Amino acid sequence: MVARYYRELLNFCLRTLKDRAAAADVVQESYARYLSMQRAGQAIAEPRALLHQTARRLLIDGHRRAAVRDHHDLDSLLETQQPAAPAHAQPEEIYAYEEYATAIASAIEALPPRCREAFILNRFDGLSHQQVADKMGISRNMVAQHVMRGVLSCKAVEARIKGRQS
């Protein structure tokens, strides 16, 4: 029954898109949505109107998507015209971060064993000073000293790395 609207709908879409293949795709999607609604048990009083409305909405959605994607094909752009990757994905940034992470890990590893344990429990495992003290069997003040020593060690590494970058 709805097949008789195909040519009319195709011409409607073709006037807007000026591309026969794209218009046929919109018509096909319109029919697919119509059939989906029909299979779902929805009563369709005006199939022609529904097909036209569906096609109109698909055309609007396609136009909106095209406006959002309004750019040149990246492959056709010169290398200098291509958009740069985000800063965090630049090779220099990745290398700098890996260098920083390795230096911080080495600084933590160089801490005395009890100091390192208190620092890791507090900063990485999220335990409070009191929880670390209870777990390690030391005073809260000693935990604070260990944590402060670890923080100062990490800050020294950070300052050394920033000094090299300047």
Side-chain angles (χ1 to χ4, degrees):
M1 175 178 150
V2 293
R4 65 180 169 199
Y5 304 122
Y6 181 82
R7 175 128 352 254
E8 177 185 344
L9 197 56
L10 180 64
N11 288 335
F12 169 74
C13 294
L14 192 54
R15 281 192 301 272
T16 304
L17 293 174
K18 308 214 182 336
D19 177 0
R20 191 167 199 75
D25 287 344
V26 171
V27 172
Q28 180 179 352
E29 180 62 25
S30 299
Y31 271 91
R33 290 184 183 192
Y34 171 85
L35 292 173
S36 175
M37 291 172 69
Q38 196 176 40
R39 285 190 187 122
Q42 290 182 315
I44 301 171
E46 295 290 330
R48 180 178 176 269
L50 177 64
L51 286 168
H52 275 270
Q53 184 64 29
T54 303
R56 188 175 300 112
R57 288 183 179 160
L58 288 169
L59 291 169
I60 291 169
D61 290 346
H63 178 70
R64 286 181 183 155
R65 274 193 301 279
V68 168
R69 294 184 192 157
D70 188 23
H71 57 76
H72 299 285
D73 180 25
L74 292 178
D75 294 332
S76 67
L77 295 176
L78 297 174
E79 188 172 334
T80 56
Q81 295 173 324
Q82 291 188 2
H88 69 275
Q90 296 291 335
E92 299 85 15
E93 289 294 321
I94 293 170
Y95 176 75
Y97 178 76
E98 287 174 355
E99 185 179 70
Y100 175 78
T102 301
I104 291 289
S106 295
I108 293 170
E109 195 62 37
L111 294 171
R114 298 284 285 167
C115 178
R116 180 175 56 241
E117 181 182 2
F119 180 75
I120 289 172
L121 287 171
N122 176 255
R123 293 300 170 130
F124 293 99
D125 295 346
L127 299 181
S128 69
H129 286 197
Q130 186 61 53
Q131 291 170 321
V132 173
D134 294 343
K135 184 172 180 115
M136 293 180 66
I138 57 176
S139 70
R140 245 179 47 194
N141 286 340
M142 195 68 206
V143 170
Q145 289 177 16
H146 286 322
V147 170
M148 185 53 68
R149 185 173 179 182
V151 168
L152 291 174
S153 179
C154 291
K155 292 244 185 235
V157 166
E158 190 173 331
R160 193 170 59 242
I161 289 175
K162 282 186 180 178
R164 268 190 270 154
Q165 292 174 348
S166 302

